Amino acid sequence: MPEASTGSESWTTFSRSAATVHPRWIDVLSGGRATLGIGAAWNEYEARSLGIPFPPIAERFDWLEDALEPCRRIWSDDQSRFVGKRFVAERPLNRPRA
């Protein structure tokens, strides 16, 4: 199962990657068993080994919350401005779409 992390990748890279893959391709390749898992990180040893910051849980959830809302907007074609605790997305969009 492919994974992406908002700690090592930007939310833009993650959301565009997830949105660009055509749902039919995923369905065919996975036999209808594909899922998208999103979390706030749990493996401190792995993160530190890769040079990825591992802040306290509350801060990781803040990052996750700030990453998910623009993703939701990109996936639903909502281009309205997003202002989070960590960053601002003036116009979240995914062009060209799959």
Side-chain angles (χ1 to χ4, degrees):
M1 173 66 55
E3 295 180 18
S5 165
T6 57
S8 61
E9 282 188 81
S10 72
W11 64 268
T12 53
T13 302
F14 168 73
S15 63
R16 289 178 59 88
S17 296
T20 302
V21 177
H22 195 286
R24 180 160 167 72
W25 299 342
I26 293 173
D27 196 43
V28 169
L29 293 172
S30 71
R33 298 182 310 267
T35 58
L36 175 63
I38 300 172
W42 66 273
N43 192 328
E44 182 175 5
Y45 174 77
E46 180 180 59
R48 295 205 187 283
S49 297
L50 295 170
I52 299 169
F54 197 81
I57 188 79
E59 189 175 338
R60 294 196 316 266
F61 272 98
D62 284 345
W63 276 102
L64 179 64
E65 187 176 311
D66 265 12
L68 288 179
E69 180 56 25
C71 290
R72 184 197 64 76
R73 291 179 189 201
I74 284 175
W75 298 334
S76 65
D77 212 20
D78 175 357
Q79 297 179 20
S80 62
R81 185 172 192 257
F82 169 74
V83 179
K85 293 179 184 177
R86 307 278 177 204
F87 56 84
V88 174
E90 292 296 331
R91 187 174 171 216
L93 63 108
N94 184 30
R95 296 286 187 263
R97 293 185 67 99

